[in-house]
């Protein structure tokens, strides 16, 4: 297993860095020093690093590059595969041999991934059996409760210019489920969603913002519990394909955002004796979306 994960200080000479770290690890170990850069040559901060021992196939170390684009670790002697990934860039993998008392310096530059072709212009409808609207709430200050909504409809109208597209979704608030009937009934009550007075949750987009790679931000308005607030859905477009029920054209995306309960007047509070809130102040919302292109041959999703 890895012996250390030490962020190096910026210096003018790599041999000095290696000497400093080598003096602090066992004599049977060596040093792996990565320098990860962007396509433009700038250091890549926050790239994910995974180091796998070739002789066992086990991941022995994982972490991220520091603000200088570096990742430095002491490792037992042997051969390792190093995988470097970062959003919007193609992953890179290198094989390194670690020797006792020596440093391996491996500069790596990630290349930009090719943007996926946008969906065909037209109306795309949710495929509910292959779409999930989930949420995560903090519980008693140390654990999470996971839930989802099971009834919803909507879709995306893709424009000739993708940035001009429009998305809309309506959720049946009473379809909330967390796997516990008592808790679900409480969430439907006036303490939380108050589904009798506010039966629907509604989202309508206002703007699609393109980012490098296949990243988008969908800006829109979310109406919940009688309140409307602007939200940003950070979205990964996953591409389109023919297939599913038959040969229908479909595409997929993942999106996420964070909601603050008080902004929607979901103010129910109850505290433990230690002053810890039973339900946290924020909710993480996650969407796994598949939509089908609407045409005469579009199948009807099964119940």
């Amino acid at each position: 297993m890895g012996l250390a994960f030490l962020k190096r200080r910026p210096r003018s000479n790599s041999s000095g860095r290696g000497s400093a770290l080598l003096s602090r690890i066992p004599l049977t170990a060596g040093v792996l020093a990565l320098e990860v850069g962007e396509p433009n040559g700038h250091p890549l901060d926050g790239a994910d690093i995974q180091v796998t021992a070739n002789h066992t196939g086990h991941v022995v170390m994982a972490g991220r590059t520091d603000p200088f684009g570096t990742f430095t670790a002491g490792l037992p002697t042997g051969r390792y595969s190093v995988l470097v990934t970062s959003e919007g860039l193609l992953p890179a993998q290198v094989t390194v041999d670690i020797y006792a008392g020596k440093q391996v310096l491996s500069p790596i530059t990630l290349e930009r991934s090719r943007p996926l072709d946008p969906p065909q212009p037209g109306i795309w409808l949710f495929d509910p059996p292959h779409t999930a609207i989930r949420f995560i709430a903090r519980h008693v200050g140390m654990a999470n409760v996971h839930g989802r909504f099971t009834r919803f409809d909507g879709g995306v109208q893709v424009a000739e210019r993708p940035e001009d597209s429009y998305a809309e979704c309506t959720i049946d608030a009473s379809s909330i489920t967390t796997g516990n009937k008592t808790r679900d009934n409480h969430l439907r009550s006036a303490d939380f969603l108050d589904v009798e007075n506010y039966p629907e949750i509604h989202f309508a987009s206002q703007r699609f913002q393109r980012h490098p790679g296949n990243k988008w931000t969908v800006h829109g308005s979310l109406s919940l519990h009688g309140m409307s607030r602007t939200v940003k859905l950070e979205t990964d477009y996953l591409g389109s394909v023919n297939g599913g029920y038959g040969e229908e054209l479909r595409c997929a995306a993942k999106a996420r955002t964070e909601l603050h309960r008080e902004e929607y007047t979901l103010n129910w509070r109850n505290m433990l004796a230690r002053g810890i809130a039973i339900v946290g102040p924020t909710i993480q919302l996650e969407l796994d979306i598949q939509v089908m292109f609407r045409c005469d041959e579009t199948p009807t999703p099964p119940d």
Side-chain angles (χ1 to χ4, degrees):
M1 61 181 291
L3 300 175
F5 171 45
L6 302 171
K7 292 183 178 179
R8 81 174 185 200
R9 299 174 182 173
R11 299 173 188 252
S12 59
N13 134 0
S14 62
S15 61
R17 291 191 302 266
S19 300
L21 183 54
L22 283 169
S23 66
R24 297 155 64 184
I25 64 172
L27 296 177
T28 56
V31 171
L32 170 65
L34 302 179
E35 293 182 345
V36 182
E38 299 181 26
N40 57 14
H42 294 158
L44 182 56
D45 178 16
D48 290 301
I49 310 294
Q50 181 175 287
V51 182
T52 302
N54 284 18
H55 69 290
T56 64
H58 294 156
V59 175
V60 297
M61 180 160 291
R64 291 187 172 182
T65 54
D66 64 21
F68 307 103
T70 67
F71 175 93
T72 308
L75 295 168
T77 57
R79 176 165 290 184
Y80 297 87
S81 293
V82 180
L83 178 65
V84 184
T85 58
S86 183
E87 290 185 359
L89 300 173
L90 292 173
Q93 189 163 14
V94 296
T95 299
V96 297
D97 291 305
I98 300 296
Y99 298 97
K102 295 185 177 181
Q103 173 187 256
V104 174
L105 177 62
S106 183
I108 298 173
T109 299
L110 299 189
E111 302 297 334
R112 295 201 181 279
S113 58
R114 185 182 71 84
L116 296 168
D117 292 332
Q120 175 179 325
I123 296 176
W124 297 71
L125 300 178
F126 286 156
D127 179 16
H130 296 100
T131 296
I133 300 178
R134 301 185 299 267
F135 63 88
I136 303 171
R138 197 71 170 165
H139 183 241
V140 298
M142 65 178 183
N144 291 325
V145 169
H146 296 252
R148 61 192 179 95
F149 294 93
T150 60
R151 293 189 297 275
F152 50 85
D153 59 28
V156 182
Q157 183 170 353
V158 178
E160 292 287 344
R161 181 176 177 267
E163 289 87 344
D164 297 330
S165 299
Y166 174 76
E168 188 171 6
C169 178
T170 300
I171 301 170
D172 180 350
S174 68
S175 72
I176 191 170
T177 178
T178 64
N180 181 280
K181 289 183 179 180
T182 300
R183 180 167 56 210
D184 293 346
N185 288 333
H186 190 201
L187 292 173
R188 296 183 187 109
S189 75
D191 283 344
F192 286 97
L193 295 178
D194 193 6
V195 300
E196 184 174 347
N197 292 306
Y198 307 105
E200 293 182 344
I201 301 168
H202 183 257
F203 172 81
S205 71
Q206 298 163 339
R207 180 167 62 97
F208 278 60
Q209 179 183 2
R210 187 196 293 265
H211 300 293
N214 299 298
K215 303 287 184 182
W216 292 78
T217 299
V218 180
H219 302 258
S221 176
L222 180 68
S223 298
L224 166 65
H225 198 242
M227 306 296 293
S228 293
R229 295 288 184 266
T230 299
V231 298
K232 297 179 182 179
L233 295 178
E234 302 301 335
T235 305
D236 296 291
Y237 171 56
L238 304 177
S240 61
V241 68
N242 285 91
Y245 304 117
E247 290 300 318
E248 74 275 5
L249 183 60
R250 61 175 59 222
C251 68
K254 289 188 174 183
R256 61 203 172 276
T257 192
E258 181 177 83
L259 306 179
H260 294 263
R261 289 200 294 123
E262 290 187 353
E263 292 184 355
Y264 296 92
T265 64
L266 298 172
N267 297 323
W268 183 85
R269 284 192 183 87
N270 205 343
M271 311 293 285
L272 299 176
R274 293 171 293 162
I276 298 173
I278 291 180
V279 180
T282 60
I283 306 293
Q284 305 299 319
L285 187 64
E286 300 178 346
L287 300 91
D288 278 309
I289 301 166
Q290 286 194 37
V291 290
M292 299 185 296
F293 185 71
R294 190 174 74 178
C295 62
D296 292 339
E297 291 76 31
T298 302
T300 300
D303 292 334

